[in-house]
Amino acid sequence: MIIRPLILLIVSFALTACVNLKPKPDSVRLYLLGPVTASAVEAPVGRGIYIARPDLPTYLEGNRMQYHGEGGELQSVYGARWGEPLQEGIARAISELITQQSGRPGSRFYPWPKSSDQAAELRVQFHQFGATADGRVQLTANWQLEGTTGVVTGKGTYTAGDSKWTPGQAQSLVAGLNAALAALTRDILASL
């Protein structure tokens, strides 16, 4: 008879002990792609560019910041996550970079729908988007620009050249990917 109340007392003490623990602060930091200082540019007369949903390798789904280890395995950057899905972040970053580098508004970008039939559509397919354990940033992409009638008006392939990062440091990875995206955007704009 005494065992039941004793067990109930122990269980209730254990449950109240869990409730009274102080919460541990979250140490995970969130990062976004794109220019750190975005400047407002007045939209020039003419059509804009709609940035379509970029195609990424499937291992980049989710919000973990990853890089290729020495043996080819995926490693996560400790304590860091993407603050938005990469497909949305890349589309937004390219739109901001187009505005910053050319003064041309990026118009709309994925996930928002195309605002008008007057906008050309930029499609980017990434074959590599990340980094390696030895400090190299890898970005390889095919891109094409389709006019309002669906005719391809420009296309190309880009491979990042000299972007670097410090392995294990999330800020360095974001800076390297931003530099590679900026160079990709310059390559696209030079072909227009």
Side-chain angles (χ1 to χ4, degrees):
M1 287 305 248
I2 294 182
I3 294 178
R4 257 190 189 158
L6 186 59
I7 290 175
L8 283 173
L9 182 65
I10 291 171
V11 168
S12 66
F13 177 73
L15 290 175
T16 57
C18 291
V19 170
N20 292 327
L21 293 176
K22 291 184 179 180
K24 183 179 174 184
D26 188 7
S27 63
V28 174
R29 298 187 69 164
L30 300 177
Y31 292 89
L32 298 173
L33 290 170
V36 176
T37 57
S39 57
V41 176
E42 203 165 308
V45 177
R47 62 186 185 152
I49 297 175
Y50 176 76
I51 315 303
R53 177 183 179 177
D55 292 325
L56 292 171
T58 56
Y59 67 86
L60 292 173
E61 292 176 359
N63 66 346
R64 293 183 312 174
M65 293 181 80
Q66 302 176 49
Y67 63 95
H68 294 277
E70 291 178 17
E73 73 281 357
L74 284 177
Q75 301 285 326
S76 294
V77 178
Y78 178 75
R81 299 278 187 266
W82 292 114
E84 62 188 335
L86 269 180
Q87 290 177 321
E88 294 176 19
I90 290 170
R92 180 190 46 73
I94 291 174
S95 177
E96 290 172 355
L97 288 164
I98 286 173
T99 300
Q100 188 180 60
Q101 293 176 11
S102 72
R104 174 191 303 207
S107 295
R108 294 174 86 56
F109 51 89
Y110 171 80
W112 289 276
K114 194 172 173 179
S115 61
S116 75
D117 292 334
Q118 296 296 327
E121 189 166 322
L122 176 64
R123 297 187 173 279
V124 184
Q125 179 183 17
F126 289 90
H127 302 287
Q128 293 180 320
F129 187 84
T132 61
D134 64 357
R136 291 177 293 128
V137 172
Q138 296 179 317
L139 189 150
T140 303
N142 292 333
W143 60 269
Q144 73 177 26
L145 188 67
E146 296 177 4
T148 57
T149 59
V151 175
V152 174
T153 58
K155 63 182 180 177
T157 300
Y158 176 78
T159 301
D162 57 356
S163 292
K164 303 281 184 203
W165 80 297
T166 305
Q169 293 185 2
Q171 285 180 310
S172 175
L173 177 59
V174 173
L177 289 171
N178 279 336
L181 280 174
L184 168 65
T185 304
R186 281 191 299 275
D187 187 60
I188 292 169
L189 290 172
S191 298
L192 299 181

